[in-house]
Amino acid sequence: MELDQELETYRKHLPELLADEGKHVLIKGDVIEGIYESRDEALRRGLKVFGIVPFMVKEIEEKETVYFISRFSI
Amino acid sequence: MISVLVGVRRDLEFAMEEAGMVIPPRKSVKCLIDTGPTKTILDPVLLQEFGQIPTGKVFITTPSTDDEPLAVQLFDVSLAIVNDVGDAVLDLKSIAVIERPILAHQGFHGLLGMDVLQKIRLVLDGPAGEFSVSG
């Protein structure tokens, strides 16, 4: 699935990223491009640097948020 | 069920314009109001119509997943809610939504979660059989 590598990069670097917990990290492949105050800012930067291709913006969290979806049966 | 306009988010729209790409118009789709999920969910078929690219990953659990959360993709889109007379009661230039595939065959293209619902007022008058949305 797309962005698997980016998720792996995030997990690998999470210990050092936690210094900026609550901010948003921009990742493409195994490269951490930068850390931004808002998701929108990171998205704009991603489009500028990488173009119209998949990249990952993720909020830096010590404990990963898990969203409960009540209606789904997967 | 409520009508929602879904489209390309503003910054992606600019990037597509610069690249000489055709920007697909916003599309009106039916979404189910659901106070359960904290994030809004849209069908991947709809997202593909807009040439959307994934912008993130989060984890979900559902009644049928085991203890292990499931990784799903996020897409950032524009989303607007329009009332019966055509006025926008909410117009979000960019919002991150979860992509899940099992919605269209149920007659709707998405679930409006609390991330959207907390920005509007919903009034249900059960005895009168009336429902209204306002900003």
Side-chain angles (χ1 to χ4, degrees):
Chain A
M1 191 187 281
E2 282 186 300
L3 303 183
D4 281 349
Q5 188 185 358
E6 284 79 2
L7 186 61
E8 188 58 38
T9 302
Y10 170 78
R11 285 175 162 163
K12 185 178 165 187
H13 291 276
L14 184 57
E16 63 255 42
L17 289 172
L18 282 175
D20 290 297
E21 189 171 9
K23 294 182 182 178
H24 300 262
V25 61
L26 170 61
I27 301 174
K28 176 67 177 164
D30 58 0
V31 174
I32 293 180
E33 196 281 334
I35 294 168
Y36 301 89
E37 292 291 335
S38 71
R39 181 173 183 85
D40 286 348
E41 192 182 354
L43 287 170
R44 284 195 299 271
R45 180 68 182 167
L47 279 175
K48 188 173 181 182
V49 175
F50 304 120
I52 306 172
V53 296
F55 53 77
M56 187 172 84
V57 173
K58 191 160 179 62
E59 184 175 353
I60 300 166
E61 301 176 299
E62 182 173 12
K63 187 176 184 330
E64 179 84 41
T65 298
V66 177
Y67 298 95
F68 178 64
I69 310 295
S70 53
R71 292 182 57 86
F72 278 84
S73 56
I74 295 172
Chain B
M1 210 97 80
I2 190 170
S3 292
V4 173
L5 289 173
V6 179
V8 177
R9 70 178 193 272
R10 186 60 61 85
D11 60 338
L12 180 56
E13 212 174 83
F14 289 147
M16 290 173 76
E17 268 177 7
E18 283 184 1
M21 298 167 71
V22 175
I23 299 162
R26 283 180 167 188
K27 183 175 180 179
S28 179
V29 297
K30 294 288 184 192
C31 288
L32 196 66
I33 291 170
D34 191 340
T35 57
T38 47
K39 267 198 177 306
T40 290
I41 299 148
L42 291 179
D43 192 273
V45 173
L46 174 66
L47 293 166
Q48 284 164 16
E49 284 183 33
F50 293 104
Q52 293 287 313
I53 49 173
T55 48
K57 274 200 161 181
V58 292
F59 290 85
I60 63 169
T61 58
T62 77
S64 61
T65 51
D66 298 327
D67 292 340
E68 190 67 25
L70 184 71
V72 295
Q73 294 191 133
L74 279 184
F75 289 74
D76 285 72
V77 300
S78 74
L79 187 151
I81 296 173
V82 180
N83 63 17
D84 292 341
V85 293
D87 296 328
V89 297
L90 180 71
D91 194 357
L92 300 172
K93 305 299 180 201
S94 182
I95 182 172
V97 300
I98 291 171
E99 175 209 44
R100 289 309 299 161
I102 56 168
L103 300 168
H105 73 276
Q106 295 179 35
F108 50 91
H109 287 87
L111 299 177
L112 280 187
M114 286 306 295
D115 54 343
V116 171
L117 299 180
Q118 68 185 2
K119 300 177 192 299
I120 56 176
R121 290 183 180 81
L122 306 170
V123 178
L124 172 64
D125 184 343
E130 293 176 352
F131 172 73
S132 65
V133 182
S134 59

